């Protein structure tokens, strides 16, 4: 069963870094309008697809795993870090 925040529970614990930044083949992230969610769920019912989050009006990125908050950052701070990561020129 999923955690209270809707995230699936993993079979084996992963290090936080691997959970957040790991990549594997055949993994997709999609955004689905709430009205289209029932159709999306039916369409992918035979595959391991599940909701991992939701878009809100709040200008923050929050990441929870198993009900534990891993990240809670303001979007302007994220944008500033992204734009300032490499010097221009």
């Amino acid at each position: 069963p999923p955690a209270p925040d809707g995230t699936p529970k993993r079979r084996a614990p992963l290090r936080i870094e691997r959970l957040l930044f790991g990549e594997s083949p055949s993994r997709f992230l999609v955004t689905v309008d709430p009205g289209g969610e029932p159709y999306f769920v039916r369409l992918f019912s035979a595959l391991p697809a599940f909701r991992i989050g939701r878009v809100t009006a709040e200008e923050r990125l929050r990441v929870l795993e198993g009900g534990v908050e891993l990240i809670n950052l303001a979007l302007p701070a994220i944008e500033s870090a992204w734009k300032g990561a490499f010097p221009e020129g």
Side-chain angles (χ1 to χ4, degrees):
D5 59 17
T7 58
K9 291 186 180 176
R10 293 176 281 115
R11 285 174 263 176
L14 292 175
R15 288 178 46 108
I16 296 302
E17 297 84 0
R18 188 169 178 201
L19 175 68
L20 294 175
F21 303 111
E23 297 179 19
S24 68
S26 303
R27 193 179 287 179
F28 296 91
L29 178 66
V30 297
T31 303
V32 178
D33 183 89
E37 186 175 1
Y39 174 72
F40 182 85
V41 168
R42 281 193 313 277
L43 186 64
F44 289 93
S45 63
L47 299 171
F50 39 86
R51 181 170 53 92
I52 62 167
R54 61 189 166 91
V55 176
T56 67
E58 188 179 14
E59 291 195 359
R60 300 192 72 75
L61 171 66
R62 293 182 64 224
V63 176
L64 294 97
E65 195 272 325
V68 176
E69 186 173 77
L70 304 176
I71 297 174
N72 186 346
L73 296 169
L75 292 184
I78 296 169
E79 182 180 18
S80 175
W82 174 65
K83 287 184 175 181
F86 298 103
E88 292 186 30

